[in-house]
Amino acid sequence: MQGESRPRDVAFLFRDGVLVDHDASSLSLPDAATEVSDWSRFCGWMGFRFGDLPQHHDDICAGQSIRLQAEDGATLALVHQGDSLRAVLHDTAPVDAAACHAAASERHDLLSRSLAAERAPTPIWIMDGAGSILWQNDSARAVPPAHVPHLTARPDFPPDVGDTSCARLRLAGESGDQDYVYDLHVTRTAMGCVHHAQDITRLVRAETLQREFVQTLSKTFADLTTGLVVFDRAKMLAVFNPALTDLTGLPPEFLSARPSLFGFFDALRDRLVMPEPKNYASWRSQITDMVKSAAGGLYHEVWTLPSGQTYRVTGRPHPDGAVAFLFEDISLEVSTTRRHRLQMDLRQSVIDRLEEGIAVLAQDGRLLFCNTAFAEMLGVDPDSSFAEMGLHDVIAACAARYPDPGLWPEVEDRIATRRLVATLHDRAVSPGQAGADLRVVPLGRGQSMLCLKDRAIAEADRVGLPLR
């Protein structure tokens, strides 16, 4: 046991890693952890001064002695005798060696904490009870001087001792720069206050830009005539625009409740805003296939609704597994296309009923179309040919049916060189044949129309006789 006159040397006795005895006046080994020996705890306690300590007590052979020296002159001698390991701590100070070591441990711990606080990325000030700065770290010294009085001022409602108050401050920037924004945390101590300031200017600016961007997108979506709906990765409705409610008739309350993707399309089916599935039992699998196609950017269909309206529905993938659907009312477009097709069919029917053969040539000489009389007159069928007929092919067919060496080369040259400025009237004269009347009409933009009327047919019509 220890006497009143404490030696400067302190001994620790270990057997199989267990501390069985010591003569220190105080001992503050680290807390024991699971399956950690007393020797490991001892090494953790001594390690900052004597870094070369063996990690295991068996690392010191029997009869071996090791002497370690710290930078402050203290020594630690390790002697392995028999089944015991003796550690003797010697300190040069005229006090108890263990107490001296404990003081050195505290100094080391204080230095580590001080270094961590000094190098912290956020400004820290320690204030006394009168509001004066006792200490500040490097980050605090880098704060604009005009901001320091605001960040170190006593809070209007100081927290209780041990509690922390939080506040957000917006301070003017220097030289017309944008404002700075800080989150200020003030912790009350028995001696004063500790102020921690975090500069969140960039974060606030990013949030502002994001909010403005979302508002801009929202305004853009609100003005679109195309219905838009976005489902997140969990396939729950995340975004929709007003046009969607107009096109689908789904109430905003239903859409704002964020229905699932299946719930959304079920509601469309109930309102007859999508084609009725032929097999209701496979309805869910059809929707699943639709979502998979949209996720791959491949879904594009035209829905003809019972109401007579026609919608174009497009699926598009979005980041993070989301998917968006676009709904466009193309009823007017489809109606116009159908009406235009009917008009074109009617015009073609009228042209086909004419006895005069008509062929229209493009600017580059391609045959755009011809009527039935022209095809039968020359014995050609452009629709059944893989290759497009050109000007030379048309003139060759005309020359074969109505040979006239002096006419057809001139007609081809005028059309090819665009020297046709007015309607050309002529007659194809063939020996032993009635020939044909010819008109070549410029249509503008380099296009031209070639008209042939067989004179034998015209003569038969004039006298009212059937043509054999």
Side-chain angles (χ1 to χ4, degrees):
M1 296 297 294
Q2 301 173 9
E4 292 298 328
S5 59
R6 298 173 182 174
R8 290 181 298 171
D9 293 350
V10 178
F12 303 86
L13 184 63
F14 295 87
R15 287 195 180 98
D16 296 326
V18 178
L19 180 62
V20 296
D21 195 10
H22 66 86
D23 56 2
S25 59
S26 62
L27 192 63
S28 56
L29 294 180
D31 293 336
T34 304
E35 298 181 358
V36 175
S37 66
D38 289 345
W39 175 255
S40 299
R41 297 167 61 202
F42 180 80
C43 291
W45 187 47
M46 290 285 182
F48 77 92
R49 293 179 80 189
F50 307 98
D52 296 331
L53 275 170
Q55 295 302 309
H56 196 271
H57 66 279
D58 288 337
D59 293 341
I60 304 176
C61 301
Q64 183 182 6
S65 298
I66 297 177
R67 182 181 176 85
L68 303 175
Q69 184 168 357
E71 293 181 355
D72 57 3
T75 62
L76 179 65
L78 304 176
V79 180
H80 195 167
Q81 295 177 342
D83 61 346
S84 301
L85 176 62
R86 182 181 178 85
V88 179
L89 176 64
H90 174 77
D91 200 286
T92 56
V95 294
D96 183 282
C100 182
H101 177 79
S105 177
E106 292 178 0
R107 288 195 301 271
H108 175 77
D109 184 53
L110 182 60
L111 180 62
S112 299
R113 296 183 184 184
S114 176
L115 182 63
E118 187 69 37
R119 297 293 186 267
T122 58
I124 303 175
W125 293 271
I126 297 180
M127 317 293 294
D128 61 14
S132 301
I133 299 176
L134 297 178
W135 176 88
Q136 60 182 348
N137 66 351
D138 289 345
S139 297
R141 298 183 187 95
V143 171
H147 295 173
V148 174
H150 301 279
L151 298 174
T152 58
R154 185 189 299 270
D156 294 335
F157 301 97
D160 297 332
V161 175
D163 292 340
T164 300
S165 65
C166 302
R168 178 164 293 188
L169 303 180
R170 182 178 293 272
L171 304 177
E174 297 178 335
S175 303
D177 292 342
Q178 293 185 350
D179 292 349
Y180 285 74
V181 183
Y182 295 93
D183 272 347
L184 180 63
H185 300 260
V186 179
T187 301
R188 182 81 174 273
T189 67
M191 303 300 295
C193 291
V194 179
H195 292 232
H196 294 80
Q198 184 176 6
D199 187 351
I200 59 170
T201 304
R202 291 185 179 181
L203 176 61
V204 171
R205 290 176 184 173
E207 291 175 347
T208 302
L209 290 176
Q210 183 184 30
R211 185 165 53 253
E212 292 175 351
F213 179 69
V214 171
Q215 290 175 352
T216 302
L217 285 181
S218 300
K219 292 179 181 178
T220 302
F221 292 157
D223 294 336
L224 287 178
T225 57
T226 300
L228 170 68
V229 59
V230 180
F231 295 92
D232 58 23
R233 64 183 305 174
K235 300 302 177 283
M236 304 298 291
L237 193 149
V239 177
F240 70 94
N241 67 340
L244 184 71
T245 61
D246 298 334
L247 292 173
T248 63
L250 296 176
E253 296 79 8
F254 169 76
L255 298 174
S256 299
R258 300 191 63 203
S260 67
L261 185 141
F262 286 109
F264 173 79
F265 282 102
D266 277 339
L268 291 184
R269 182 184 57 80
D270 293 340
R271 290 178 173 268
L272 302 179
V273 189
M274 68 180 302
E276 182 68 23
K278 297 180 180 179
N279 183 3
Y280 184 76
S282 63
W283 164 246
R284 289 299 176 102
S285 64
Q286 294 177 30
I287 295 298
T288 301
D289 293 341
M290 178 191 304
V291 174
K292 290 181 179 179
S293 299
L298 304 176
Y299 185 76
H300 183 88
E301 283 191 2
V302 174
W303 290 357
T304 301
L305 307 182
S307 63
Q309 292 178 292
T310 305
Y311 286 177
R312 180 189 293 121
V313 182
T314 307
R316 289 287 182 267
H318 272 233
D320 198 24
V323 62
F325 287 93
L326 302 174
F327 295 81
E328 301 175 78
D329 187 350
I330 59 172
S331 303
L332 180 59
E333 177 184 338
V334 171
S335 175
T336 302
T337 302
R338 289 174 179 170
R339 185 166 56 251
H340 177 70
R341 185 179 298 114
L342 290 174
Q343 292 175 351
M344 293 298 296
D345 291 344
L346 177 61
R347 291 175 184 176
Q348 185 67 40
S349 298
V350 171
I351 294 175
D352 285 340
R353 296 300 296 271
L354 296 177
E355 294 180 353
E356 186 178 26
I358 297 175
V360 177
L361 300 169
Q363 181 180 7
D364 58 359
R366 290 179 298 107
L367 177 64
L368 296 179
F369 68 89
C370 66
N371 66 349
T372 303
F374 187 88
E376 292 178 349
M377 193 180 300
L378 300 183
V380 297
D381 187 5
D383 294 335
S384 64
S385 176
F386 288 103
E388 291 184 339
M389 291 188 66
L391 172 62
H392 182 74
D393 301 320
V394 173
I395 296 300
C398 293
R401 176 67 178 83
Y402 303 104
D404 191 338
L407 173 64
W408 299 115
E410 175 66 19
V411 173
E412 182 177 1
D413 181 67
R414 285 199 180 190
I415 295 177
T417 57
R418 302 181 188 176
R419 291 189 293 114
L420 190 67
V421 295
T423 302
L424 171 65
H425 295 269
D426 213 322
R427 178 181 299 175
V429 179
S430 304
Q433 295 184 12
D437 291 331
L438 170 68
R439 287 188 302 124
V440 184
V441 183
L443 300 179
R445 297 184 180 179
Q447 298 175 336
S448 56
M449 180 175 65
L450 192 150
C451 305
L452 283 175
K453 188 170 186 179
D454 192 290
R455 292 186 61 79
I457 298 176
E459 184 64 22
D461 290 342
R462 187 178 67 81
V463 298
L465 297 176
L467 180 64
R468 295 185 181 274

